[in-house]
Amino acid sequence: MNRVILTALVAVFICGCTNPEAEKVAALKKECIEIHDEVMPQWQDIASMSGELKKWSAALAEADSIDSIAQLKTQVNESATLLDSAYDAMGDWMSNYEPDLDQSQSIDSALSYYKSEKERITAVNSLMKLSIENGKQILANRP
C-alpha cells in the first residue's frame, strides 16, 4: 500500500514539475499565432484593395497628364505597392513559420526561433494595418 502511495506521489511530483523554458516557448508560439490571427482575416481585403487601386491607376493613366493627376497616380501606385508588400509579407511568414520546431530543436533554439518569429509577425501585422489604412485613405479620395 505504501509503495502505491509513494509511486503516486512521485508521479504527481514529476508531472507537476514543468520546465519554465518550455513554458516560455509555448507562450511565444501562442503569441505568434495570436498576432497572426489578428490581421489574417484582412489578407484577402488587401488583395482586393490593391486590385481596386491598380484599376484606378490604369484609368488615371488614360487621363490627361495634368500634374495633379500624375501626383494622384503616384499616390495610388505607391499605396497598391504597399498593399502588395503587406500581402506578400504575410504569405512569406506563413510559408516559413515552423509551428513544430520546438519538437525537434533544443529549448534554447526554439526560444530564440519563436522570439524572432514574434518580431517578424509583429512587423507583418504593423505593415498590414498601415497598408490597409493607407489604401482606405487613398480610395476615399476616388471620384
Side-chain angles (χ1 to χ4, degrees), residues 56-114:
W56 187 19
S57 177
L60 288 172
E62 295 175 6
D64 292 331
S65 45
I66 301 170
D67 286 343
S68 62
I69 291 178
Q71 183 181 16
L72 179 60
K73 184 176 185 245
T74 299
Q75 290 173 338
V76 170
N77 287 335
E78 288 173 353
S79 183
T81 299
L82 186 61
L83 286 160
D84 290 343
S85 294
Y87 184 89
D88 291 344
M90 177 58 88
D92 290 345
W93 186 84
M94 290 187 308
S95 295
N96 294 314
Y97 181 70
E98 297 182 39
D100 298 326
L101 180 115
D102 58 323
Q103 304 300 314
S104 63
Q105 299 289 320
S106 70
I107 288 178
D108 288 340
S109 293
L111 198 54
S112 176
Y113 174 77
Y114 291 116

Side-chain angles (χ1 to χ4, degrees), residues 28-41:
L28 281 169
K29 283 176 63 173
K30 183 179 180 203
E31 288 177 49
C32 286
I33 297 303
E34 287 172 350
I35 294 167
H36 164 271
D37 290 350
E38 180 185 346
V39 291
M40 184 57 202

Side-chain angles (χ1 to χ4, degrees), residues 2-16:
N2 286 341
R3 208 169 234 204
V4 172
I5 292 172
L6 181 60
T7 303
L9 286 174
V10 169
V12 168
F13 178 75
I14 290 172
C15 291

